[in-house]
């Protein structure tokens, strides 16, 4: 075979393989996106809805560029963080767990209403309150991440002030590689946000909550703080929670070895049947993701024994969609004492932490619930 034919054959093979995995990823992620996704128009300020709602205030910190209309944000990358204060009306429902789960699967976050928004600066953030920084995952638009953060705050009855860190994800199922680059691009900005919060010199507690690829961004930010000698900023972080982290196991070990002990062990929320992470693993050379391991796996036992991480296996919880990638939402419902929480084996112990920061709730749940421990 000539060199040219060989190169063409290799190119065809690589292209076919990449297409196969892209289609697989699109199918898996598409399982949870049965209806249309919320567009930029959902960020336009509107009158309060006629149906019952809870008003949630979310601070947004983003390194996305504004769209030409000035209403929304794109996947283009900005050289600086921009801040806004949003007031979002989150629908209040009194449905059964099955009805609520069905609605999540068939009706996306389009029912959320923006009742107010205001451009602010970092100095306008009330740093005296406890803070939850929510870092979204792959394939999220700005508005989707905003409504997801509002939902987390509402469903979890969180005591912290939510800050959404929205990095410039493509918001597309075929944008996985681009999103990894975008998350890397955003790392410095997340570090800057943490540094600025440290400078405020308040006694408020900071929880970092990263989902999926956002968990990778969180851990990379911590690693950057460590290797740059900013121990004081690391110690300012009270708790780190990684939900379905899309991180190669070996890479995660190296990251936590570099970071070292934090104020509390990182909490990893995993599911052994996470379909999205199965596809991510295959795209990454069949390397297992930390978010799909259970606590009994030998590869994480050393980290657990060293009090570096705690693994919470959520596989027994119902999933809000067929990807099994967003079970942390069900855990948040359980923490808040919802009917979904009472219907699981996590019930009683999880419900005793209401009103505490989410990281502390999880710590107390781990202390009281042996089935969560290795």
């Amino acid at each position: 075979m000539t060199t040219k034919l060989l190169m063409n054959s290799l190119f065809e093979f690589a292209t076919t393989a990449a297409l196969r995995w892209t289609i697989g990823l699109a199918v898996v992620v598409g399982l949870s996106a049965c209806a249309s996704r919320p567009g930029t128009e959902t960020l336009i300020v509107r009158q309060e809805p006629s149906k019952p709602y809870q008003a949630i205030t979310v601070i947004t910190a983003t390194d996305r560029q504004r769209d030409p209309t000035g209403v929304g944000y794109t996947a283009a990358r900005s050289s600086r963080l921009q801040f806004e204060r949003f007031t979002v009306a989150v629908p209040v429902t009194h449905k059964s767990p099955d009805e609520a789960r069905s609605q999540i699967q068939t009706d996306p976050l389009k029912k959320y209403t923006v009742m107010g928004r205001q451009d602010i600066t970092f100095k306008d953030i009330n740093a005296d309150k406890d803070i939850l920084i929510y870092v979204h995952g792959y394939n999220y638009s700005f508005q989707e991440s905003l409504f997801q953060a509002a939902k987390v705050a509402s469903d979890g009855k969180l005591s912290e002030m939510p800050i959404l860190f929205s990095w410039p994800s493509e918001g597309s199922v075929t944008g996985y590689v681009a999103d990894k680059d975008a998350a890397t691009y955003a790392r410095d900005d997340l570090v800057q946000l943490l540094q600025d919060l440290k400078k405020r010199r308040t006694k408020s507690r900071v929880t970092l909550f990263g989902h999926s690829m956002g968990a990778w961004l969180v851990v990379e930010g911590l690693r950057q703080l460590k290797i740059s000698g900013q121990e004081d900023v690391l110690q300012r972080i009270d708790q780190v929670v990684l939900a379905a982290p899309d991180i190669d196991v070996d890479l995660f070990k190296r990251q936590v070895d570099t970071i070292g002990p934090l104020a509390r062990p990182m909490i990893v929320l995993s599911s052994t049947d996470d379909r999205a992470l199965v596809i991510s693993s295959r795209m990454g050379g069949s390397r297992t993701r930390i978010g799909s391991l259970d606590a009994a796996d030998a590869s994480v036992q050393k980290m657990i024994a060293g009090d570096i991480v705690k693994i919470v296996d959520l596989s027994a919880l119902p999933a809000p969609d067929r990807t099994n990638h967003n079970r942390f939402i069900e855990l948040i419902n359980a923490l808040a004492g919802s009917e979904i929480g009472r219907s699981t084996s996590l019930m009683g112990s999880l419900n005793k932490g209401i009103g505490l920061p989410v990281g502390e709730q999880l710590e107390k749940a781990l202390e009281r619930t042996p089935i969560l421990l290795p």
Side-chain angles (χ1 to χ4, degrees), residues 50-237:
S50 58
K51 295 182 179 179
Y53 68 90
Q54 180 182 6
I56 298 293
T57 298
V58 178
I59 302 296
T60 62
T62 185
D63 50 7
R64 297 172 182 263
Q65 288 187 24
R66 295 261 193 172
D67 69 12
T69 68
V71 174
Y73 292 90
T74 70
R77 301 160 188 174
S78 173
S79 60
R80 63 182 180 86
L81 281 175
Q82 302 173 75
F83 297 89
E84 280 199 72
R85 181 184 291 112
F86 283 84
T87 302
V88 179
V90 179
V92 174
T93 61
H94 302 283
K95 300 177 182 293
S96 70
D98 289 340
E99 289 174 327
R101 193 171 301 112
S102 175
Q103 184 179 32
I104 290 173
Q105 293 174 356
T106 59
D107 189 11
L109 301 170
K110 293 181 70 174
K111 293 295 181 69
Y112 288 44
T113 303
V114 172
M115 298 193 303
R117 59 184 296 187
Q118 177 186 11
D119 289 325
I120 62 173
T121 67
F122 176 80
K123 294 180 180 179
D124 296 317
I125 298 175
N126 179 8
D128 292 327
K129 292 189 64 177
D130 290 340
I131 291 169
L132 172 75
I133 301 176
Y134 177 76
V135 185
H136 63 80
Y138 141 79
N139 186 27
Y140 269 83
S141 66
F142 176 85
Q143 54 271 17
E144 286 173 319
S145 62
L146 170 65
F147 298 150
Q148 185 72 79
K151 177 177 175 58
V152 167
S154 175
D155 290 359
K157 299 180 174 61
L158 301 185
S159 61
E160 301 102 316
M161 175 180 67
I163 297 180
L164 165 67
F165 183 84
S166 183
W167 50 278
S169 165
E170 290 291 317
S172 167
V173 294
T174 59
Y176 186 86
V177 175
D179 272 13
K180 200 61 174 286
D181 289 342
T184 305
Y185 176 87
R187 179 174 52 199
D188 288 353
D189 294 316
L190 178 59
V191 167
Q192 185 64 55
L193 177 60
L194 295 170
Q195 290 171 333
D196 290 343
L197 287 171
K198 168 64 176 63
K199 293 175 184 176
R200 299 292 285 271
R201 299 185 181 280
T202 66
K203 294 183 179 180
S204 61
R205 293 175 288 187
V206 175
T207 297
L208 263 177
F209 194 113
H211 176 231
S212 190
M213 193 178 288
W216 177 90
L217 173 53
V218 164
V219 179
E220 276 294 293
L222 298 176
R223 179 180 177 276
Q224 183 160 316
L225 286 169
K226 179 68 176 186
I227 62 179
S228 60
Q230 300 184 71
E231 298 278 354
D232 55 338
V233 181
L234 285 173
Q235 293 307 312
R236 177 76 167 76
I237 301 167

Side-chain angles (χ1 to χ4, degrees), residues 319-341:
D321 58 59
R322 288 174 285 176
T323 68
N324 301 332
H325 191 54
N326 299 298
R327 277 201 175 98
F328 75 95
I329 296 172
E330 298 289 348
L331 179 61
I332 288 170
N333 280 319
L335 287 170
S338 70
E339 290 299 322
I340 293 176

